[in-house]
Amino acid sequence: MAITVEATYENGTLKLAQPLPLNEHQKVRVTIEPALTWAERTAGMMGWKGSAADAEYFATSPELDFPSPEEEP
């Protein structure tokens, strides 16, 4: 049975986002896979030819947001 769980590396220890359904002292094998950003997960969906960093900038930069209705002239 494979389980995927999010974790954060903090002070030399992995902090799991949720408890695991394991027995006490059960042996497991751990594979570490860095989490992808939103831009990296969706890259290629629209034929983007630029870098993941550029896609993330265009997708999340506040300076590129549309003005709110109260800011429009």
Side-chain angles (χ1 to χ4, degrees):
M1 157 182 81
I3 299 171
T4 300
V5 63
E6 297 291 322
T8 302
Y9 184 71
E10 198 173 281
N11 297 320
T13 305
L14 285 174
K15 306 285 184 177
L16 301 180
Q18 63 194 55
L20 297 175
L22 302 173
N23 296 322
E24 194 68 24
H25 304 291
Q26 182 175 340
K27 300 281 187 196
V28 298
R29 180 180 302 179
V30 177
T31 300
I32 306 298
E33 180 180 307
L36 299 176
T37 66
W38 174 85
E40 291 168 328
R41 286 192 313 271
T42 58
M45 292 176 77
M46 296 180 63
W48 175 255
K49 302 292 185 206
S51 70
D54 285 343
E56 182 137 15
Y57 170 76
F58 290 124
T60 62
S61 177
E63 66 189 57
L64 300 177
D65 283 348
F66 289 104
S68 63
E70 58 271 0
E71 293 176 14
E72 291 184 18

